[in-house]
Amino acid sequence: MKRSTLVIACLLSVTSIVAVAEDGSDRARARWEAFQASHAQAHAEAAQKTLTAQTKNNGSSAADTTEQKQQPDT
């Protein structure tokens, strides 16, 4: 391969890489922020479901214990 052909091929490669990579950091940052937001939302929903389940379990067990206290010993 001639030296001039090699230089032109390298220049075209670098130019195309720069054109594709242009604005790449902004897209990566936007994807990362969207990922963090969706991740935080998923954790918040999971925490809310856990809290609701714990509240239901605590409420039913509290009702069971009051019923047991009201029954006379036989």
Side-chain angles (χ1 to χ4, degrees), residues 49-64:
K49 287 180 182 179
T50 303
L51 182 62
T52 303
Q54 287 176 348
T55 304
K56 284 183 179 180
N57 287 341
N58 289 340
S60 65
S61 64
D64 291 341

Side-chain angles (χ1 to χ4, degrees), residues 2-71:
K2 292 182 182 179
R3 187 176 281 179
S4 61
T5 308
L6 183 62
V7 169
I8 291 173
C10 288
L11 286 174
L12 288 174
S13 296
V14 169
T15 305
S16 65
I17 290 171
V18 169
V20 170
E22 185 177 318
D23 194 36
S25 63
D26 293 336
R27 285 182 279 150
R29 188 177 308 120
R31 285 183 188 156
W32 178 250
E33 289 172 356
F35 170 75
Q36 286 180 328
S38 67
H39 200 59
Q41 182 180 6
H43 278 288
E45 290 173 1
Q48 183 63 33
K49 287 180 182 179
T50 303
L51 182 62
T52 303
Q54 287 176 348
T55 304
K56 284 183 179 180
N57 287 341
N58 289 340
S60 65
S61 64
D64 291 341
T65 56
T66 56
E67 289 176 8
Q68 290 174 355
K69 287 180 181 179
Q70 292 176 354
Q71 294 177 354

